Amino acid sequence: MALKRGLSGVNRIRGSGGGSRSVLVLLIFFCVFAPLVFFVGRGVYIDSSTDYSNASVKQNLDWRERLAMQSVRSLFSKEVLDVIATSTADLGPLSLDSFKKNNLSASWRGGGVDTSFRHSENPTTPDFKSNILNEKRDSISKDSSHQKVETPTKIHRRQLREKRREIRANELVQHNDDTILKLENAAIERSKSVDSAVLGKYSIWRRENENDNSDSNIRLMRDQVIMARVYSGIAKLKNKNELLQELQARLKDSQRVLGESTSDADLPRSAHEKLRAMGQALAKAKMQLYDCKLVTGKLRAMLQTADEQVRSLKKQSTFLAQLAAKTIPNPIHCLSMRLTIDYYLLSPEKRKFPRSENLENPNLYHYALFSDNVLAASVVVNSTIMNAKDPSKHVFHLVTDKLNFGAMNMWFLLNPPGKATIHVENVDEFKWLNSSYCPVLRQLESAAMREYYFKADHPTSGSSNLKYRNPKYLSMLNHLRFYLPEVYPKLNKILFLDDDIIVQKDLTPLWEVNLNGKVNGAVETCGESFHRFDKYLNFSNPHIARNFNPNACGWAYGMNMFDLKEWKKRDITGIYHKWQNMNENRTLWKLGTLPPGLITFYGLTHPLNKAWHVLGLGYNPSIDRKDIENAAVVHYNGNMKPWLELAMSKYRPYWTKYIKFDHPYLRRCNLHE
């Protein structure tokens, strides 16, 4: 290519053309071809920046090279030689001798090859190849007369390429990490959306069913028992008495071996013999009795029977769970009885609490607590006092029923709450609280309500209504919260507390919260689509649909700040009576106090900060521990109360730390952690 460019340059320079000049061109071509090949074969490197008359270069060339150089220089102008030098500059030093000595390919290669490359004994070894790569990589830093000098533009381009490769590699790694993170988050969200009601159902995709060999013997025996029952029924139908007796005998043996076993490790050594014997009996039965239609019918009948049994057991389980949740445990009942006996043995002078003058002082912090559980009430009072900065400013108003009145008094006489004031009253002594004034009392005395509560086999009372068949709905202690101004007529504000809460911080700042003219201060419980009004109220009823928003946010009873002045101004008790009278047939809401509370205080509730009141410790096992520890009040709402065996063990210590289990009364009644 260099030669052709040189010839073309000669033609351009001399301006030769036409047929008369072709002989001259051929003559020049043959005159210079031989010395030019010799010149290239010897690897003479012509640098465009080197002066061809340099003395040192001439000394290194032998006489043939000098003669060829002179001949070439005499034939070509300097412009042509520059073209040839430029065309070979990118290839590096070229030498046919190096190709021959090193047994290389005839195709020319360029790039800084030094003497060590030429004298390598085995150029095909890995060391040879690595030397080539290293020499190319280090060609810039070598101080050699034959090295290839990279221009700044090439260096800049190479650096840009390397930078782009690094950025792309980082992007791929980051993209891979983001993808893995998204997949993990998606899996977590899917796991949260799994319905816990179906977790116990059989599925071949469950973990314990992934391995076919996992407890295979016990599952095989259970399958054999099912098929033995099917063939026993068919044998009885077809009068195969001998086969029937054999199947029944094998069935008894298998059931005896299975017993209460849940895994292969629990099975006795004789299990394998029983498996083989049952397998032989079933094979014989299949040969004599197999009928697809009969077997299918028997299996369907067995499935229907099992479904009915499961349904019955579920109903029974629901009833027992409600019963366990609402029944006072024996130790607490024992505590109440012992305290009651000792209270009525006291003289009237010793039954009085100190500091009774604080009971109507509006400048103090007053608490209303309505409970029939002595131990639960003691935890509420103890936790409040232990976390109060100035207990002398706190006044507790306890109301209980006639049965527990003596026990409640005796407990706090024996265990006074420090400098705080306490007073216990009997709800049965509130003569103004009667059926002529209170609609719910009148409704509870009706025959329809008694039938609903006390006739569990009533056709209209299904298992779904069991949770409403609760003793607390029959007690006025539960409805007394709607009559606070009547119970405490001289107070301006009062903090209502349930007996299934504990206080973890000083509640004094709660009295400084501005309710902005509202009557009730409470923590809202609604999320995106739950605990809103449509969950508690019947919006198919026109009275409810006209007056309330189904998406209005619900709030929690358990810790409520009530402004009794605003209560009286707005006649809150009158509003409650109006709606309670309209719900005599339970068409607006089911039984309870939260639905009428939502209606009564609709538009009159000020939302408190959620850190004041954390709920769900009686039913929700996934509450964040930080939320519990940072809360001022935690609430065990739900069936799993902390004083029951049903309680969740991880939440119970928050409650038990306010109980002194070494108390003599608690020890005598076997109350322990």
Side-chain angles (χ1 to χ4, degrees), residues 517-532:
K518 308 293 185 180
V519 180
N520 175 28
V523 170
E524 294 181 334
T525 58
C526 61
E528 295 181 359
S529 61
F530 57 94
H531 286 194
R532 298 185 181 272

Side-chain angles (χ1 to χ4, degrees), residues 342 396 439 615 636:
D342 292 346
F396 293 90
L615 299 101
Y636 291 83

